[in-house]
Amino acid sequence: DSGVTQTPKHLITATGQRVTLRCSPRSGDLSVYWYQQSLDQGLQFLIQYYNGEERAKGNILERFSAQQFPDLHSELNLSSLELGDSALYFCASSAAGGATNEKLFFGSGTQLSVL
Amino acid sequence: AQSVAQPEDQVNVAEGNPLTVKCTYSVSGNPYLFWYVQYPNRGLQFLLKYITGDNLVKGSYGFEAEFNKSQTSFHLKKPSALVSDSALYFCAVRDTYKYIFGTGTRLKVLA
């Protein structure tokens, strides 16, 4: 068990809908990373937060947004969903920020299916 | 921008034989390289990392990786493969505040 909790584990929804994915980092970790894993694009970095502040952004669509709350949990919001958004979404955490070359601890992911 | 490449989608090896999973990198400055493993229905797990120092890095579950600056490679190795090593392996590089992952290599160890 990595100590990173993601909910829900599975999510099935329809095109055009909006969903929220939740991540609780390991106790004491200040950084949260979001990744999207799909068969054709591998593991794509979406966004990183450190202690509530956005620190790095990848190829995240404008329909997607995220935030990290004062208790350090994070939420990834996906709106106007399209079939192509179907993927496994991972959250990872680390004690500090990416600049320290720390290892990441990954959650088990949320499998999103858009029908 | 930093990047890593994993040239093989799948590697098959017989149980008991040595295994190698390849990774090459492209970075500006010093490379900070990682290997992760993903078992079915699980998140990625850290195996090992190279920051500086010895070119041979030892990690979890008997895995090691060899950093080669002249060939810009960071191949993952294990002297004797186990069936339980069958999984998806990712090479990664740190890029400022994020980590860039390769496309993954599926390792299949045959009994």
Side-chain angles (χ1 to χ4, degrees):
Chain A
D1 182 11
S2 67
V4 178
T5 303
Q6 287 188 251
T7 57
K9 291 192 183 304
H10 303 277
L11 199 49
I12 301 174
T13 188
T15 55
Q17 295 299 304
R18 171 189 169 94
V19 298
T20 298
L21 282 52
R22 181 187 170 101
C23 170
S24 295
R26 284 191 326 152
S27 177
D29 282 359
L30 298 178
S31 279
V32 169
Y33 304 74
W34 285 97
Y35 284 87
Q36 179 192 57
Q37 184 179 31
S38 58
L39 287 176
D40 58 343
Q41 297 220 19
L43 204 63
Q44 297 290 312
F45 170 74
L46 295 177
I47 199 164
Q48 189 228 350
Y49 283 85
Y50 172 73
N51 204 21
E53 299 291 326
E54 180 187 307
R55 181 167 275 188
K57 190 178 267 192
N59 295 325
I60 187 168
L61 299 171
E62 286 190 9
R63 301 183 285 108
F64 295 2
S65 65
Q67 60 184 120
Q68 186 179 29
F69 294 86
D71 68 352
L72 301 177
H73 91 271
S74 178
E75 292 181 358
L76 179 66
N77 299 298
L78 315 177
S79 62
S80 302
L81 285 168
E82 302 176 358
L83 296 177
D85 297 328
S86 296
L88 187 54
Y89 291 84
F90 282 113
C91 166
S93 74
S94 67
T100 61
N101 302 313
E102 297 172 306
K103 62 183 180 182
L104 301 180
F105 293 86
F106 280 80
S108 298
T110 293
Q111 181 68 59
L112 173 66
S113 298
V114 182
L115 305 179
Chain B
Q2 325 288 51
S3 66
V4 289
Q6 295 181 244
E8 301 158 317
D9 290 335
Q10 181 159 322
V11 169
N12 295 327
V13 63
E15 187 176 30
N17 282 2
L19 69 87
T20 298
V21 182
K22 296 179 180 177
C23 173
T24 59
Y25 65 87
S26 174
V27 304
S28 53
N30 294 321
Y32 303 111
L33 300 162
F34 302 77
W35 276 102
Y36 286 81
V37 60
Q38 184 181 22
Y39 296 101
N41 302 315
R42 302 282 295 275
L44 279 70
Q45 297 176 37
F46 170 81
L47 282 178
L48 51 80
K49 67 179 178 181
Y50 172 82
I51 307 300
T52 59
D54 289 340
N55 290 340
L56 188 63
V57 179
K58 294 193 181 297
S60 307
Y61 312 120
F63 283 93
E64 57 190 26
E66 186 173 8
F67 173 72
N68 187 316
K69 189 172 183 178
S70 63
Q71 297 186 6
T72 61
S73 67
F74 187 57
H75 299 334
L76 182 70
K77 301 183 178 187
K78 188 173 184 181
S80 178
L82 300 172
V83 172
S84 57
D85 292 329
S86 299
L88 187 57
Y89 290 81
F90 289 94
C91 178
V93 63
R94 181 176 76 75
D95 181 5
T96 314
Y97 296 114
K98 60 183 181 286
Y99 294 80
I100 306 299
F101 286 81
T103 51
T105 298
R106 188 163 300 280
L107 173 67
K108 193 167 184 179
V109 181
L110 308 168

